[in-house]
Amino acid sequence: MNVEQIQQIAVIGSGAMGSQIAMVCALAGYSVYLQDTSRESLDKAKSSLEFHMKRRIDKGKLSAREVDEAFSRLNFVMSLEEAVRDTDFVIEAIVEKLEAKRELFAAVDRLAPAHAIIATNSSTIVSSKIADATNRPEQVCNMHFFNPVLVMELVEVVQGPHTSEQTAQTTVELTRRIHKTPILLTTEISGFVANRILGKLMDEALYLLENGIATAEEIDLACTKALNHPIGPFALIDLTGIDVHYLIRMQRYEETGDERAKPSSIVTEKYLKGELGRKTGKGFYTYS
Ligand SMILES: NC(=O)c1ccc[n+]([C@@H]2O[C@H](COP(=O)([O-])OP(=O)(O)OC[C@H]3O[C@@H](n4cnc5c(N)ncnc54)[C@H](O)[C@@H]3O)[C@@H](O)[C@H]2O)c1
């Protein structure tokens, strides 16, 4: 399938990532179904997107008409069948657990039209671990967005050994059409490019914190004021979610068996306490 044939997109999972991926697609003119098994999550996605869109209108970045039209193309649904039955392209953004993703891909494969591409937004899991749950492995790939999707421009498209050239090229072209910048990787590697680099920075930041060398605030200041990063590693992990970081590291540990891949003790402690960052009001910082 080529990109011209894409009219309808389904985004599965309406959390931090899925909600904004759906909005970006709707703003680019696509008809979008955003699906979640949780009504609460769908309601939260809707109100959060309304808040972000209002801010863009107030700042003059988008007109009220553009936003109204985008919302009229965006459907919030709980039925997976309704979301994918007429879809051309599926972007999965559910919880970072391999078994959950495999189950979902098998269900989407049964319900979606034969021509539809199914992409995963997973932060770590390469699509060859999921593709064989479907009968269309050549139409499965990674399409990895960055948080917050409304702002961050890069999308990593990963073509696995099972992914057809056509699927990879269509996904790269779709990325451009939703006004993002693609990089296409033709070799699978867990974590892809940007997060592997970020992971090294994070490891060092956690080492400095856990050994009492510097506080989270000081490490963030070093990164923002000396290295000119727009945000420090601890402010970033609070933004993306300590649970997301924890699950990514556990996933990598389970894949590699490498003890060094495990989440650090301070991350594990915060995860178990439910101090997950901005979403719970407390992480490395406290939020009002
Ligand atoms: N948070 C980030 O910074 C970030 C960045 C890039 C990629 N990702 C990846 O995106 C995916 C989602 O991350 P997130 O931060 O949006 O998570 P999140 O926890 O905010 O949202 C996940 C959503 O998926 C829903 N869900 C779970 N199982 C489902 C199912 N079977 N069917 C439909 N909906 C289901 C949940 O109800 C929840 O609303 C993960 O794979 C993660 O690795 C996250």
Side-chain angles (χ1 to χ4, degrees):
M1 186 187 50
N2 67 46
V3 76
E4 311 293 341
Q5 290 165 272
I6 301 176
Q7 291 185 359
Q8 198 181 104
I9 296 176
V11 180
I12 313 300
S14 68
M17 297 301 291
S19 58
Q20 295 202 4
I21 293 170
M23 192 77 234
V24 162
C25 294
L27 283 168
Y30 290 101
S31 160
V32 181
Y33 281 77
L34 176 60
Q35 187 270 350
D36 203 296
T37 45
S38 152
R39 167 57 58 196
E40 196 190 338
S41 181
L42 282 171
D43 291 345
K44 211 168 128 200
K46 190 157 189 269
S47 55
S48 159
L49 290 174
E50 282 166 354
F51 169 79
H52 285 298
M53 289 303 107
K54 183 174 181 312
R55 282 225 315 222
R56 277 168 174 70
I57 294 169
D58 292 346
K59 286 184 184 167
K61 289 185 175 171
L62 287 171
S63 70
R65 189 167 159 209
E66 282 171 306
V67 168
D68 284 349
E69 284 179 0
F71 273 118
S72 73
R73 287 188 284 268
L74 180 50
N75 306 281
F76 297 80
V77 299
M78 286 186 73
S79 155
L80 184 63
E81 196 206 341
E82 187 183 355
V84 304
R85 70 181 162 218
D86 295 321
T87 200
D88 303 303
F89 200 102
V90 181
I91 305 172
E92 169 275 313
I94 69 164
V95 63
E96 186 72 348
K97 291 194 176 152
L98 179 59
E99 260 329 295
K101 289 190 192 286
R102 286 183 61 87
E103 267 174 38
L104 180 79
F105 269 65
V108 170
D109 185 44
R110 280 194 300 274
L111 297 168
H115 70 271
I117 289 174
I118 320 176
T120 174
N121 177 51
S122 169
S123 303
T124 49
I125 304 171
V126 291
S127 74
S128 56
K129 293 199 179 294
I130 309 175
D132 66 337
T134 75
N135 290 310
R136 60 180 96 187
E138 66 290 349
Q139 286 157 240
V140 173
C141 67
N142 291 85
M143 186 181 193
H144 181 225
F145 292 79
F146 291 83
N147 192 4
V149 179
L150 287 167
V151 179
M152 305 306 282
E153 283 181 31
L154 192 78
V155 173
E156 295 169 328
V157 177
V158 190
Q159 179 179 11
H162 53 281
T163 312
S164 72
E165 190 61 30
Q166 173 92 71
T167 296
Q169 288 310 325
T170 300
T171 308
V172 162
E173 195 44 45
L174 176 65
T175 303
R176 293 201 181 98
R177 301 236 170 156
I178 57 172
H179 312 297
K180 299 290 178 196
T181 305
I183 56 172
L184 173 63
L185 309 183
T186 52
T187 303
E188 287 193 331
I189 183 165
S190 169
F192 323 123
V193 173
N195 280 348
R196 289 184 74 90
I197 296 170
L198 179 64
K200 295 286 180 225
L201 177 84
M202 208 69 218
D203 284 349
E204 191 58 31
L206 286 162
Y207 172 85
L208 293 170
L209 179 70
E210 288 184 339
N211 286 282
I213 314 282
T215 64
E217 289 85 348
E218 287 165 340
I219 295 164
D220 278 359
L221 278 174
C223 290
T224 53
K225 302 292 180 193
L227 306 179
N228 224 6
H229 292 183
I231 185 170
F234 294 106
L236 181 62
I237 195 173
D238 272 3
L239 178 73
T240 53
I242 288 170
D243 52 337
V244 174
H245 175 89
Y246 175 88
L247 292 172
I248 288 171
R249 298 304 292 248
M250 284 307 285
Q251 179 67 39
R252 197 168 297 161
Y253 167 65
E254 278 160 25
E255 270 177 27
T256 62
D258 182 354
E259 288 288 322
R260 289 169 304 178
K262 272 188 173 168
S264 76
S265 52
I266 191 158
V267 165
T268 304
E269 190 187 310
K270 287 192 177 294
Y271 176 76
L272 294 175
K273 273 203 240 165
E275 292 178 2
L276 306 181
R278 280 183 181 267
K279 65 175 97 170
T280 59
K282 191 165 170 26
F284 286 98
Y285 296 91
T286 303
Y287 303 88
S288 54

